[in-house]
Amino acid sequence: MDENEARQVANTLQQLGIRGIVSPEDLDNPNGRWRVYDRADAATRRDITDEALTLVAGRSRQTGPARGFVVPKSR
């Protein structure tokens, strides 16, 4: 994930009402894995990625069908 993708993830979490900071797992390696943390401070942050994924999955089920077709009306 790059910084732009991380920003998009952070915006999506915010829109869903999920608090979290999207940051590289290893701050010295931004090309590595990214995670969701409860705060920005690397010394005291707690990884909440699994909790955030669970919340996103729960919210996405409430928004309607995930599969299907949209068929326009014939003229």
Side-chain angles (χ1 to χ4, degrees):
M1 177 179 330
D2 61 25
E3 288 183 36
N4 185 46
E5 292 169 325
R7 229 180 338 272
Q8 291 174 359
V9 170
N11 287 339
T12 300
L13 293 174
Q14 183 179 17
Q15 289 173 356
L16 292 172
I18 300 169
R19 297 175 60 158
I21 305 294
V22 181
S23 177
E25 193 171 54
D26 176 0
L27 295 175
D28 294 328
N29 182 16
N31 294 322
R33 293 177 57 170
W34 286 63
R35 310 290 288 170
V36 180
Y37 297 98
D38 63 342
R39 61 182 57 109
D41 183 9
T44 61
R45 69 186 183 182
R46 184 175 63 88
D47 185 347
I48 60 168
T49 304
D50 292 337
E51 295 168 35
L53 288 171
T54 300
L55 289 170
V56 168
R59 302 261 168 85
S60 66
R61 278 190 220 114
Q62 298 172 2
T63 60
R67 300 183 284 175
F69 297 92
V70 176
V71 180
K73 291 171 56 173
S74 59
R75 296 180 189 197

